[in-house]
Coordinates of all heavy atoms in Angstrom, one line a residue:
A321 N 11.7 23.5 0.1 CA 11.9 22.1 -0.2 C 13.1 21.5 0.7 O 13.0 20.3 1.1 CB 12.3 21.9 -1.7
A322 N 14.0 22.3 1.0 CA 15.1 21.8 1.9 C 14.5 21.5 3.3 O 14.9 20.5 4.0 CB 16.2 22.9 2.1
S323 N 13.5 22.3 3.8 CA 12.9 22.0 5.0 C 12.1 20.7 5.0 O 12.1 19.9 5.9 CB 12.0 23.2 5.5 OG 11.4 22.9 6.7
V324 N 11.3 20.5 3.9 CA 10.5 19.4 3.7 C 11.3 18.1 3.4 O 10.9 17.0 3.6 CB 9.5 19.6 2.6 CG1 8.6 18.4 2.3 CG2 8.6 20.8 2.9
E325 N 12.6 18.4 3.0 CA 13.4 17.3 2.4 C 12.8 16.6 1.2 O 12.6 15.4 1.2 CB 13.8 16.3 3.5 CG 14.8 16.8 4.5 CD 15.6 15.8 5.3 OE1 15.1 14.6 5.3 OE2 16.5 16.2 5.9
S326 N 12.4 17.5 0.3 CA 11.8 17.1 -1.0 C 12.4 17.9 -2.1 O 13.5 18.5 -1.9 CB 10.3 17.4 -0.9 OG 9.7 16.9 -2.0
N327 N 11.8 18.0 -3.2 CA 12.3 18.8 -4.3 C 11.5 20.0 -4.6 O 10.3 20.0 -4.3 CB 12.6 17.9 -5.5 CG 11.3 17.4 -6.1 OD1 10.5 18.2 -6.6 ND2 11.1 16.1 -6.1
P328 N 12.1 21.1 -5.1 CA 11.3 22.3 -5.3 C 10.1 22.1 -6.2 O 9.1 22.8 -6.0 CB 12.3 23.2 -5.9 CG 13.7 22.7 -5.5 CD 13.5 21.2 -5.4
A329 N 10.2 21.2 -7.2 CA 9.0 21.0 -8.1 C 7.8 20.5 -7.3 O 6.7 20.9 -7.6 CB 9.4 20.0 -9.2
L330 N 8.0 19.6 -6.4 CA 6.9 19.0 -5.6 C 6.3 20.2 -4.8 O 5.1 20.3 -4.6 CB 7.4 17.9 -4.6 CG 6.3 17.5 -3.7 CD1 5.2 16.7 -4.3 CD2 6.9 16.7 -2.5
V331 N 7.2 21.0 -4.2 CA 6.7 22.1 -3.3 C 5.9 23.1 -4.2 O 4.8 23.5 -3.8 CB 8.0 22.9 -2.7 CG1 7.5 24.2 -2.1 CG2 8.6 22.0 -1.6
R332 N 6.4 23.4 -5.4 CA 5.6 24.3 -6.3 C 4.2 23.7 -6.7 O 3.3 24.4 -6.7 CB 6.4 24.6 -7.5 CG 7.5 25.6 -7.3 CD 8.2 26.1 -8.6 NE 8.8 25.0 -9.3 CZ 10.1 24.6 -9.1 NH1 10.8 25.2 -8.2 NH2 10.6 23.7 -9.9
R333 N 4.2 22.3 -6.9 CA 2.9 21.7 -7.2 C 2.0 21.8 -6.1 O 0.8 22.1 -6.2 CB 3.1 20.2 -7.6 CG 3.5 20.0 -9.1 CD 3.4 18.5 -9.5 NE 4.1 17.6 -8.7 CZ 5.3 17.3 -8.8 NH1 6.1 17.8 -9.7 NH2 5.9 16.4 -8.0
L334 N 2.5 21.5 -4.9 CA 1.6 21.6 -3.7 C 1.2 23.0 -3.4 O 0.0 23.3 -3.1 CB 2.3 21.0 -2.4 CG 2.4 19.5 -2.4 CD1 3.3 19.0 -1.3 CD2 1.0 18.9 -2.3
M335 N 2.1 24.0 -3.6 CA 1.7 25.4 -3.4 C 0.7 25.8 -4.4 O -0.3 26.6 -4.1 CB 3.0 26.2 -3.5 CG 3.9 26.1 -2.3 SD 5.4 27.0 -2.5 CE 4.9 28.7 -2.2
G336 N 0.7 25.3 -5.6 CA -0.3 25.6 -6.7 C -1.6 25.0 -6.2 O -2.7 25.7 -6.4
A337 N -1.6 23.8 -5.6 CA -2.9 23.2 -5.2 C -3.4 24.0 -4.0 O -4.7 24.3 -3.9 CB -2.7 21.8 -4.8
L338 N -2.6 24.4 -3.1 CA -3.0 25.3 -2.0 C -3.5 26.6 -2.4 O -4.5 27.2 -1.9 CB -1.8 25.5 -1.0 CG -1.4 24.2 -0.3 CD1 0.0 24.4 0.4 CD2 -2.5 23.7 0.7
R339 N -2.9 27.2 -3.5 CA -3.4 28.4 -4.1 C -4.8 28.2 -4.7 O -5.7 29.0 -4.4 CB -2.4 28.9 -5.1 CG -2.8 30.3 -5.7 CD -1.9 30.8 -6.8 NE -2.3 30.0 -8.0 CZ -1.5 29.1 -8.6 NH1 -0.3 28.7 -8.1 NH2 -1.9 28.5 -9.7
R340 N -5.0 27.2 -5.4 CA -6.3 26.9 -6.0 C -7.3 26.6 -5.0 O -8.5 26.9 -5.1 CB -6.2 25.7 -7.0 CG -5.5 26.0 -8.3 CD -5.5 24.9 -9.3 NE -4.8 23.7 -8.8 CZ -3.5 23.5 -8.9 NH1 -2.7 24.4 -9.4 NH2 -3.0 22.4 -8.5
G341 N -6.9 26.0 -3.8 CA -7.8 25.8 -2.7 C -8.1 27.0 -1.9 O -8.8 26.9 -0.9
G342 N -7.5 28.1 -2.3 CA -7.8 29.4 -1.5 C -7.1 29.6 -0.2 O -7.5 30.4 0.6
L343 N -6.0 28.8 0.0 CA -5.3 28.9 1.2 C -4.0 29.6 1.1 O -3.4 30.0 2.2 CB -5.0 27.4 1.7 CG -6.2 26.5 1.9 CD1 -5.8 25.1 2.3 CD2 -7.2 27.1 2.9
L344 N -3.5 29.9 -0.1 CA -2.2 30.5 -0.2 C -2.3 31.5 -1.4 O -3.0 31.3 -2.4 CB -1.2 29.4 -0.6 CG 0.3 29.7 -0.6 CD1 0.7 30.1 0.8 CD2 1.1 28.5 -1.0
A345 N -1.6 32.6 -1.2 CA -1.5 33.6 -2.3 C -0.1 33.6 -2.7 O 0.9 33.8 -1.9 CB -1.9 35.0 -1.7
T346 N 0.1 33.5 -4.0 CA 1.5 33.5 -4.6 C 1.5 34.4 -5.8 O 0.4 34.7 -6.4 CB 1.9 32.1 -5.1 OG1 1.0 31.7 -6.1 CG2 1.9 31.1 -3.9
Q347 N 2.7 34.9 -6.2 CA 2.9 35.7 -7.4 C 3.9 35.0 -8.2 O 5.0 34.7 -7.7 CB 3.4 37.1 -7.0 CG 2.3 38.0 -6.6 CD 2.9 39.4 -6.5 OE1 3.8 39.7 -5.8 NE2 2.2 40.4 -7.2
Q348 N 3.6 34.8 -9.5 CA 4.6 34.1 -10.3 C 5.8 35.0 -10.5 O 5.7 36.2 -10.6 CB 4.0 33.9 -11.7 CG 4.8 33.0 -12.6 CD 4.1 32.5 -13.8 OE1 2.9 32.8 -14.0 NE2 4.8 31.8 -14.6
G349 N 7.0 34.4 -10.3 CA 8.3 35.1 -10.4 C 8.7 35.7 -9.1 O 9.8 36.4 -9.1
S350 N 8.0 35.6 -8.1 CA 8.3 36.2 -6.8 C 8.2 35.2 -5.7 O 7.1 34.5 -5.6 CB 7.3 37.4 -6.5 OG 7.5 37.9 -5.3
A351 N 9.2 35.1 -4.9 CA 9.2 34.1 -3.8 C 8.6 34.8 -2.5 O 9.3 34.9 -1.5 CB 10.6 33.6 -3.5
T352 N 7.3 35.2 -2.6 CA 6.7 35.8 -1.5 C 5.3 35.2 -1.2 O 4.3 36.0 -1.2 CB 6.6 37.3 -1.8 OG1 5.9 37.5 -3.0 CG2 7.9 38.0 -1.9
P353 N 5.2 33.9 -1.1 CA 3.9 33.4 -0.7 C 3.4 33.9 0.6 O 4.2 34.1 1.5 CB 4.2 31.9 -0.7 CG 5.6 31.7 -0.4 CD 6.3 32.9 -1.0
K354 N 2.1 34.0 0.7 CA 1.4 34.4 1.9 C 0.2 33.5 2.1 O -0.4 33.1 1.2 CB 1.0 35.8 1.9 CG 2.2 36.8 1.8 CD 1.7 38.2 1.8 CE 2.8 39.3 1.8 NZ 4.1 38.9 1.7
L355 N -0.1 33.3 3.4 CA -1.4 32.6 3.7 C -2.5 33.5 3.2 O -2.5 34.7 3.5 CB -1.5 32.3 5.2 CG -0.4 31.4 5.8 CD1 -0.8 31.1 7.2 CD2 -0.2 30.1 5.0
S356 N -3.6 32.9 2.7 CA -4.7 33.7 2.2 C -5.7 34.0 3.4 O -6.5 34.9 3.3 CB -5.5 33.0 1.2 OG -4.7 32.8 0.0
R357 N -5.5 33.3 4.5 CA -6.4 33.4 5.7 C -5.4 33.3 6.9 O -4.3 32.9 6.8 CB -7.4 32.3 5.8 CG -8.3 32.1 4.6 CD -9.2 31.0 4.8 NE -9.5 30.3 3.6 CZ -10.1 29.1 3.5 NH1 -10.3 28.4 4.6 NH2 -10.4 28.6 2.4
E358 N -6.0 33.8 8.0 CA -5.3 33.6 9.2 C -5.2 32.1 9.5 O -6.1 31.3 9.2 CB -6.0 34.3 10.4 CG -6.0 35.8 10.3 CD -4.6 36.3 10.4 OE1 -3.8 35.9 11.2 OE2 -4.2 37.3 9.6
P359 N -4.0 31.7 10.2 CA -3.9 30.2 10.5 C -5.1 29.7 11.3 O -5.4 28.5 11.1 CB -2.6 30.2 11.3 CG -1.8 31.4 10.8 CD -2.9 32.4 10.5
A360 N -5.7 30.5 12.1 CA -6.8 29.9 12.9 C -8.1 29.7 12.0 O -9.0 28.9 12.4 CB -7.2 31.0 14.0
A361 N -8.1 30.2 10.8 CA -9.2 30.0 9.9 C -8.9 29.0 8.8 O -9.7 28.7 7.9 CB -9.6 31.3 9.2
I362 N -7.8 28.3 8.9 CA -7.4 27.2 8.0 C -7.4 25.9 8.8 O -6.7 25.7 9.7 CB -6.0 27.4 7.4 CG1 -5.9 28.7 6.6 CG2 -5.6 26.2 6.6 CD1 -4.6 29.1 6.1
T363 N -8.3 25.0 8.4 CA -8.5 23.7 9.0 C -7.7 22.7 8.3 O -7.3 22.8 7.1 CB -9.9 23.3 9.1 OG1 -10.4 23.0 7.8 CG2 -10.8 24.3 9.8
L364 N -7.4 21.6 9.0 CA -6.7 20.4 8.4 C -7.5 19.9 7.3 O -7.0 19.5 6.3 CB -6.5 19.4 9.6 CG -5.5 18.3 9.2 CD1 -4.1 18.8 8.8 CD2 -5.4 17.3 10.4
L365 N -8.9 19.9 7.4 CA -9.8 19.4 6.4 C -9.6 20.3 5.1 O -9.5 19.8 4.0 CB -11.2 19.4 6.8 CG -12.2 18.9 5.8 CD1 -11.9 17.4 5.4 CD2 -13.6 19.0 6.3
A366 N -9.5 21.6 5.3 CA -9.4 22.5 4.1 C -8.1 22.2 3.4 O -8.0 22.2 2.2 CB -9.5 23.9 4.5
I367 N -7.0 21.9 4.2 CA -5.7 21.6 3.5 C -5.8 20.3 2.8 O -5.4 20.2 1.7 CB -4.6 21.6 4.6 CG1 -4.5 23.0 5.3 CG2 -3.3 21.2 4.0 CD1 -3.6 22.9 6.6
Y368 N -6.4 19.3 3.5 CA -6.6 18.0 2.9 C -7.3 18.1 1.6 O -6.9 17.5 0.5 CB -7.3 17.1 3.9 CG -7.5 15.7 3.3 CD1 -6.5 14.8 3.3 CD2 -8.8 15.2 2.9 CE1 -6.6 13.5 2.8 CE2 -9.0 14.0 2.4 CZ -7.9 13.1 2.4 OH -8.1 11.8 1.9
Q369 N -8.4 18.8 1.6 CA -9.3 18.9 0.4 C -8.5 19.7 -0.7 O -8.8 19.4 -1.9 CB -10.6 19.6 0.7 CG -11.5 18.7 1.6 CD -12.7 19.4 2.1 OE1 -12.8 20.6 2.3 NE2 -13.8 18.6 2.4
A370 N -7.6 20.6 -0.4 CA -6.9 21.3 -1.4 C -5.9 20.5 -2.1 O -5.6 20.7 -3.3 CB -6.2 22.5 -0.8
V371 N -5.3 19.5 -1.4 CA -4.1 18.8 -2.0 C -4.4 17.4 -2.4 O -3.7 16.8 -3.2 CB -2.9 18.8 -1.1 CG1 -2.4 20.3 -0.9 CG2 -3.1 18.1 0.2
E372 N -5.4 16.7 -1.9 CA -5.7 15.3 -2.2 C -6.7 15.3 -3.3 O -7.8 15.9 -3.3 CB -6.2 14.6 -1.0 CG -5.2 14.3 0.0 CD -4.1 13.4 -0.4 OE1 -4.2 12.6 -1.4 OE2 -3.0 13.3 0.3
D373 N -6.3 14.6 -4.4 CA -7.2 14.4 -5.6 C -8.5 13.6 -5.3 O -9.5 14.0 -5.7 CB -6.4 13.7 -6.7 CG -5.2 14.5 -7.1 OD1 -5.2 15.7 -7.1 OD2 -4.1 13.8 -7.4
D374 N -8.3 12.6 -4.6 CA -9.4 11.7 -4.1 C -9.6 12.0 -2.7 O -8.8 11.6 -1.9 CB -9.1 10.3 -4.4 CG -10.2 9.4 -4.0 OD1 -11.2 9.8 -3.5 OD2 -10.0 8.1 -4.1
G375 N -10.7 12.6 -2.3 CA -11.0 12.9 -0.9 C -11.2 11.8 0.0 O -11.3 12.0 1.2
N376 N -11.2 10.6 -0.5 CA -11.5 9.4 0.4 C -10.3 9.0 1.1 O -9.2 8.8 0.6 CB -12.1 8.3 -0.4 CG -13.5 8.6 -0.9 OD1 -14.3 9.2 -0.2 ND2 -13.7 8.2 -2.2
L377 N -10.4 8.8 2.5 CA -9.3 8.3 3.2 C -9.0 6.8 3.0 O -7.9 6.4 3.0 CB -9.6 8.5 4.7 CG -9.7 10.0 5.2 CD1 -10.3 10.1 6.6 CD2 -8.3 10.6 5.1
L378 N -10.1 6.1 2.8 CA -10.0 4.6 2.7 C -10.6 4.2 1.3 O -11.5 4.9 0.8 CB -10.8 3.9 3.8 CG -10.4 4.3 5.2 CD1 -11.4 3.7 6.2 CD2 -9.0 3.8 5.5
H379 N -10.0 3.2 0.7 CA -10.4 2.7 -0.6 C -10.8 1.3 -0.6 O -10.2 0.4 0.1 CB -9.4 3.0 -1.6 CG -9.0 4.4 -1.6 ND1 -9.6 5.4 -2.4 CD2 -8.0 5.1 -1.0 CE1 -9.1 6.6 -2.2 NE2 -8.1 6.4 -1.3
V380 N -11.9 0.9 -1.3 CA -12.4 -0.4 -1.4 C -11.7 -1.1 -2.6 O -11.6 -0.5 -3.7 CB -13.9 -0.4 -1.6 CG1 -14.4 -1.8 -1.9 CG2 -14.6 0.2 -0.4
D381 N -11.3 -2.4 -2.5 CA -10.8 -3.1 -3.6 C -12.0 -3.6 -4.4 O -12.8 -4.4 -3.9 CB -10.0 -4.3 -3.1 CG -9.5 -5.2 -4.2 OD1 -9.7 -4.9 -5.4 OD2 -8.8 -6.2 -3.8
D382 N -12.1 -3.1 -5.6 CA -13.3 -3.5 -6.5 C -13.1 -4.8 -7.2 O -14.0 -5.3 -7.9 CB -13.5 -2.4 -7.5 CG -14.2 -1.2 -6.9 OD1 -15.0 -1.3 -5.9 OD2 -13.8 0.0 -7.3
K383 N -11.9 -5.4 -7.1 CA -11.6 -6.7 -7.8 C -11.8 -7.8 -6.8 O -10.8 -8.4 -6.3 CB -10.2 -6.6 -8.3 CG -10.0 -5.6 -9.4 CD -8.5 -5.5 -9.9 CE -8.3 -4.3 -10.7 NZ -6.9 -4.1 -10.9
T384 N -13.0 -8.2 -6.6 CA -13.2 -9.4 -5.8 C -14.2 -10.3 -6.6 O -14.8 -9.9 -7.6 CB -13.9 -9.0 -4.4 OG1 -15.1 -8.3 -4.7 CG2 -13.0 -8.2 -3.6
N385 N -14.2 -11.5 -6.2 CA -15.0 -12.6 -6.9 C -16.5 -12.3 -6.6 O -17.0 -12.6 -5.5 CB -14.6 -13.9 -6.4 CG -15.3 -15.0 -7.1 OD1 -16.3 -14.8 -7.8 ND2 -14.8 -16.2 -7.0
P386 N -17.3 -11.9 -7.6 CA -18.8 -11.7 -7.4 C -19.5 -13.0 -7.1 O -20.7 -12.9 -6.6 CB -19.2 -11.0 -8.7 CG -18.2 -11.5 -9.7 CD -16.9 -11.7 -9.0
N387 N -18.9 -14.1 -7.4 CA -19.6 -15.4 -7.1 C -19.4 -16.0 -5.7 O -19.9 -17.0 -5.4 CB -19.2 -16.4 -8.2 CG -19.5 -15.9 -9.5 OD1 -20.6 -15.4 -9.8 ND2 -18.6 -16.2 -10.5
C388 N -18.6 -15.2 -4.9 CA -18.3 -15.7 -3.5 C -19.2 -14.9 -2.6 O -19.5 -13.7 -2.8 CB -16.8 -15.4 -3.3 SG -16.4 -15.5 -1.6
V389 N -19.6 -15.5 -1.5 CA -20.5 -14.8 -0.5 C -19.8 -13.6 0.0 O -20.4 -12.5 0.2 CB -20.9 -15.8 0.6 CG1 -19.7 -16.2 1.4 CG2 -22.0 -15.1 1.4
V390 N -18.5 -13.6 0.3 CA -17.8 -12.5 0.8 C -17.5 -11.5 -0.4 O -17.8 -10.3 -0.3 CB -16.5 -12.9 1.5 CG1 -15.7 -11.6 2.0 CG2 -16.8 -13.8 2.7
G391 N -16.8 -12.0 -1.4 CA -16.4 -11.2 -2.6 C -17.6 -10.5 -3.3 O -17.4 -9.4 -3.8
G392 N -18.7 -11.1 -3.2 CA -19.9 -10.5 -3.9 C -20.6 -9.4 -3.0 O -21.5 -8.7 -3.6
N393 N -20.2 -9.3 -1.8 CA -20.9 -8.3 -0.9 C -20.0 -7.4 -0.1 O -20.4 -6.4 0.5 CB -21.7 -9.1 0.1 CG -22.8 -9.9 -0.6 OD1 -23.8 -9.3 -1.1 ND2 -22.7 -11.2 -0.6

Side-chain angles (χ1 to χ4, degrees):
S323 179
V324 178
E325 289 198 345
S326 186
N327 65 65
L330 172 74
V331 168
R332 285 190 296 274
R333 277 195 305 275
L334 286 172
M335 288 174 74
L338 292 166
R339 187 186 73 252
R340 287 186 298 278
L343 305 177
L344 192 61
T346 61
Q347 278 188 307
Q348 192 167 355
S350 175
T352 56
K354 294 184 179 0
L355 301 183
S356 297
R357 305 180 210 162
E358 290 298 315
I362 298 174
T363 66
L364 194 57
L365 180 60
I367 301 167
Y368 180 77
Q369 290 172 333
V371 299
E372 288 294 342
D373 302 323
D374 175 3
N376 292 320
L377 295 168
L378 304 171
H379 302 276
V380 175
D381 180 0
D382 288 323
K383 297 178 189 166
T384 58
N385 182 348
N387 299 320
C388 170
V389 64
V390 176
N393 297 290

